[in-house]
């Protein structure tokens, strides 16, 4: 269902006239922040600590829908070292998320490079993105089931706004993006089910579940500021990810807040 929704959106966009639109953006950022993780398959308690994050983004305008559709691909990698409340146990968390989305730019806007290609100071875009996540959690303790795998494939609804902030002759570009998972599939063991039972003995127990906003109410926020510095563009920002799920009687959340810094390049395809 999720795949059919995304394919229908792309086919609908391709049915419109096309025109050349060559703006391209590449951005790389790294950051550090705080993490709060709960996974009741491993422990009934929250673990908190330090989160490290790296993001690589490519965004470009396309020929779709009279040149009003932009495409974004993003790789997001994070790793966290957390501890329980007493500090007696360590928790290691990590994962990779890849997203691939298309956004319609309203009012002939351009969220890729509005400083050069848009007459308006505000530019808005909204669309759908296919996302895939693979990660895991490990608690440094003895006993059964010390680790938990995380895997999901979803279709996200996403919106983006860009604002040209002018200070004298200088133009600084703010961007804000919100992404919310709509539906997809995810992996989850059942409460009390070991990975040996699921994979070693082949005792499947509805471990692939249908994910939707009811059992996976999550959102990801991203705020960035592009600052021209001579021939380079410095990017600073904030990434807040609030991921939650309740699958197979297991509760999970991962709340992270990261301050990011990096560089942005604006290019033009030939």
């Amino acid at each position: 269902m999720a795949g059919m929704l995304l394919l229908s959106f792309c086919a609908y966009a391709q049915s419109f006239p096309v025109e050349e639109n060559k703006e391209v953006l590449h951005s790389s950022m790294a950051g550090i922040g705080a993490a709060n993780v709960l996974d009741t398959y491993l422990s009934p308690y929250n673990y908190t600590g330090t989160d490290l994050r790296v993001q690589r983004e490519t965004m470009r305008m396309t020929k779709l829908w009279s040149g009003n559709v932009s495409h974004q691909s993003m790789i997001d990698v994070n790793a966290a070292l957390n501890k329980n409340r007493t500090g007696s146990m360590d928790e290691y968390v990590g994962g990779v998320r890849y997203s691939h989305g298309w956004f319609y730019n309203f009012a002939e806007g351009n969220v890729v490079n509005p400083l050069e290609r848009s007459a308006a100071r505000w530019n808005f875009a909204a669309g759908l993105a296919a996302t895939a996540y693979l990660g895991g959690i490990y608690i440094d303790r003895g006993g059964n089931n010390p680790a938990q795998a995380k895997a999901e494939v979803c279709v996200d609804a996403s919106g983006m706004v860009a604002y040209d902030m002018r200070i004298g002759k200088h133009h600084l570009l703010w961007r804000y993006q919100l992404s919310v998972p709509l539906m997809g599939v995810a992996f989850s063991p059942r409460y009390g089910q070991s990975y040996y039972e699921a994979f070693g003995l082949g005792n499947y127990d509805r471990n692939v579940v249908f994910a939707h906003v009811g059992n996976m109410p999550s959102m990801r926020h991203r705020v960035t500021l592009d600052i021209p510095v001579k021939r380079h563009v410095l990017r600073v920002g904030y990434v807040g990810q609030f991921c939650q799920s309740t699958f197979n009687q297991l509760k999970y959340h991962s709340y992270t807040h990261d301050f990011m810094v990096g560089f942005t390049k604006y290019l033009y395809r030939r």
Side-chain angles (χ1 to χ4, degrees):
M1 183 182 296
M4 291 177 62
L5 181 63
L6 185 63
L7 290 174
S8 298
F9 174 80
C10 297
Y12 182 59
Q14 288 176 336
S15 65
F16 283 76
V18 300
E19 64 180 29
E20 292 295 331
N21 220 341
K22 299 183 178 182
E23 293 86 351
V24 180
L25 175 154
H26 294 291
S27 171
S28 298
M29 293 194 299
I32 187 171
N36 181 315
V37 178
L38 168 70
D39 192 313
T40 57
Y41 180 78
L42 301 175
S43 171
Y45 305 110
N46 287 351
Y47 282 67
T48 59
T50 302
D51 187 65
L52 302 175
R53 187 174 302 276
V54 176
Q55 286 188 342
R56 172 67 175 175
E57 175 193 21
T58 296
M59 190 159 55
R60 61 183 176 86
M61 295 302 296
T62 72
K63 301 176 182 180
L64 302 176
W65 217 324
S66 299
N68 290 324
V69 173
S70 56
H71 170 263
Q72 181 192 53
S73 63
M74 182 181 297
I75 299 176
D76 179 283
V77 182
N78 84 298
L81 173 59
N82 302 326
K83 290 183 177 294
N84 61 359
R85 186 174 59 181
T86 62
S88 59
M89 292 185 185
D90 293 328
E91 178 187 67
Y92 303 91
V93 184
V96 179
R97 184 182 304 276
Y98 177 72
S99 64
H100 201 74
W102 290 264
F103 297 81
Y104 179 78
N105 291 252
F106 296 97
E108 299 183 355
N110 184 321
V111 295
V112 177
N113 191 355
L115 296 185
E116 295 187 19
R117 296 291 178 169
S118 175
R121 297 182 67 178
W122 290 93
N123 290 264
F124 301 90
L128 298 174
T131 67
Y133 177 78
L134 181 63
I137 306 172
Y138 173 78
I139 295 181
D140 187 12
R141 60 175 170 81
N144 295 327
N145 304 335
Q148 164 74 306
K150 295 292 179 183
E152 63 187 52
V153 177
C154 293
V155 171
D156 294 351
S158 188
M160 192 181 307
V161 57
Y163 173 64
D164 174 12
M165 184 175 71
R166 301 170 185 175
I167 301 178
K169 297 181 179 180
H170 302 284
H171 291 253
L172 284 68
L173 184 62
W174 286 97
R175 276 195 187 86
Y176 168 68
Q177 182 174 357
L178 170 65
S179 298
V180 177
L182 295 179
M183 64 183 71
V185 294
F187 166 79
S188 175
R190 282 198 169 269
Y191 181 79
Q193 180 189 24
S194 70
Y195 278 75
Y196 174 70
E197 290 177 308
F199 296 101
L201 300 180
N203 294 335
Y204 174 79
D205 193 6
R206 298 181 180 179
N207 301 125
V208 177
V209 299
F210 173 59
H212 51 82
V213 293
N215 60 13
M216 193 176 66
S218 305
M219 61 180 62
R220 302 188 301 276
H221 302 268
R222 188 170 185 255
V223 182
T224 61
L225 175 63
D226 288 352
I227 308 171
V229 181
K230 295 184 178 180
R231 297 183 179 181
H232 304 282
V233 179
L234 174 69
R235 170 170 283 192
V236 296
Y238 161 79
V239 173
Q241 299 196 0
F242 306 92
C243 302
Q244 305 176 120
S245 66
T246 303
F247 300 141
N248 292 337
Q249 300 178 318
L250 297 174
K251 293 184 178 180
Y252 163 79
H253 77 230
S254 174
Y255 307 144
T256 58
H257 306 268
D258 293 283
F259 173 75
M260 311 289 289
V261 62
F263 290 93
T264 301
K265 291 183 179 180
Y266 292 96
L267 306 170
Y268 296 91
R269 304 191 309 272
R270 294 183 178 179

